[in-house]
Amino acid sequence: MIGFNFYPQSSRYIEPKLARRIIEAIPPRVLAVGVFVDAGAEQIRNIADVSGVRCVQIHGSASAKTCRELAREFRAIRAFSMDPQFRPEKVSLFGDCDVLVDAYHPSLRGGTGLTCDWPAARTARSFARFLILSGGLTKQNVGQAIATVAPHAVDVCSGVESAPGTKDHQALEDFITAVRAASSSINAFASS
């Protein structure tokens, strides 16, 4: 998966038409994900149409009904900020969606570099059909995060950037290597 941030207040924002040019150049097996914050269903559909994303990552206050509606058209990922009110069982209300859990920040919407509550994320996994762990992951901690949470996937943003919005290719390679090593260790342990 590769994410395209359509939240205008983000330093990682990308214009939908520019995203389309990139999406048309990536291999078909790579899923393009549109990242949205507090966007309505119609706005998400319009931007998805312009950009060509086939998966939508929904942050903010979107209801289970809205997410269910969007999940009929797209692969939908409902993102949860693990704020003090977060309850892992709440993710079960979004059964039509994959679930992403991320660290809480009072004013920023992702990409903060803060780690989330891994034990709570592990509990949330039992209520999700597919759990994506996000929040402050780096090559140094992703192995421990995978071992602790056992997510289906991990999401990285600031942990592979040289500056906000600027990805560092070596950091990306190092992160992927660390994820593969952690996954291999878990698979080897499960096989023995």
Side-chain angles (χ1 to χ4, degrees):
M1 295 181 180
I2 182 171
F4 295 88
N5 192 320
F6 298 124
Y7 180 51
Q9 287 78 17
S10 173
S11 62
R12 298 167 182 93
Y13 173 78
I14 185 169
E15 289 286 337
K17 287 181 182 177
L18 177 56
R20 180 180 267 309
R21 291 185 13 223
I22 296 167
I23 291 166
E24 288 173 347
I26 61 176
R29 73 183 192 293
V30 177
L31 184 62
V33 180
V35 178
F36 299 89
V37 177
D38 290 326
E42 203 53 41
Q43 180 184 12
I44 290 171
R45 282 187 194 96
N46 290 339
I47 292 173
D49 184 52
V50 170
S51 66
V53 297
R54 302 179 322 264
C55 180
V56 295
Q57 183 174 309
I58 308 158
H59 293 253
S61 59
S63 69
K65 180 182 175 193
T66 298
C67 291
R68 201 170 21 257
E69 178 185 328
L70 288 166
R72 288 188 214 117
E73 302 168 53
F74 306 97
R75 179 173 179 180
I77 302 168
R78 177 59 165 96
F80 289 89
S81 171
M82 297 183 83
D83 62 28
Q85 289 77 39
F86 175 78
R87 300 293 172 264
E89 59 275 5
K90 183 180 177 187
V91 304
S92 66
L93 300 173
F94 297 84
D96 297 324
C97 299
D98 297 341
V99 169
L100 179 139
V101 290
D102 198 356
Y104 169 73
H105 187 282
S107 60
L108 299 176
R109 303 293 190 114
T112 64
L114 301 173
T115 56
C116 70
D117 179 342
W118 291 349
R122 172 81 180 199
T123 302
R125 185 186 186 278
S126 65
F127 296 101
R129 70 176 189 189
F130 188 90
L131 183 98
I132 303 167
L133 179 64
S134 189
L137 298 177
T138 64
K139 70 178 181 178
Q140 290 85 2
N141 69 5
V142 72
Q144 184 61 43
I146 290 169
T148 302
V149 178
H152 297 97
V154 292
D155 176 273
V156 67
C157 186
S158 61
V160 293
E161 290 181 332
S162 56
T166 304
K167 299 299 183 240
D168 178 310
H169 294 278
Q170 186 61 53
L172 273 166
E173 285 182 34
D174 294 346
F175 184 83
I176 292 167
T177 299
V179 169
R180 287 182 175 152
S183 297
S184 294
S185 295
I186 289 172
N187 291 337
F189 178 74
S191 298
S192 48

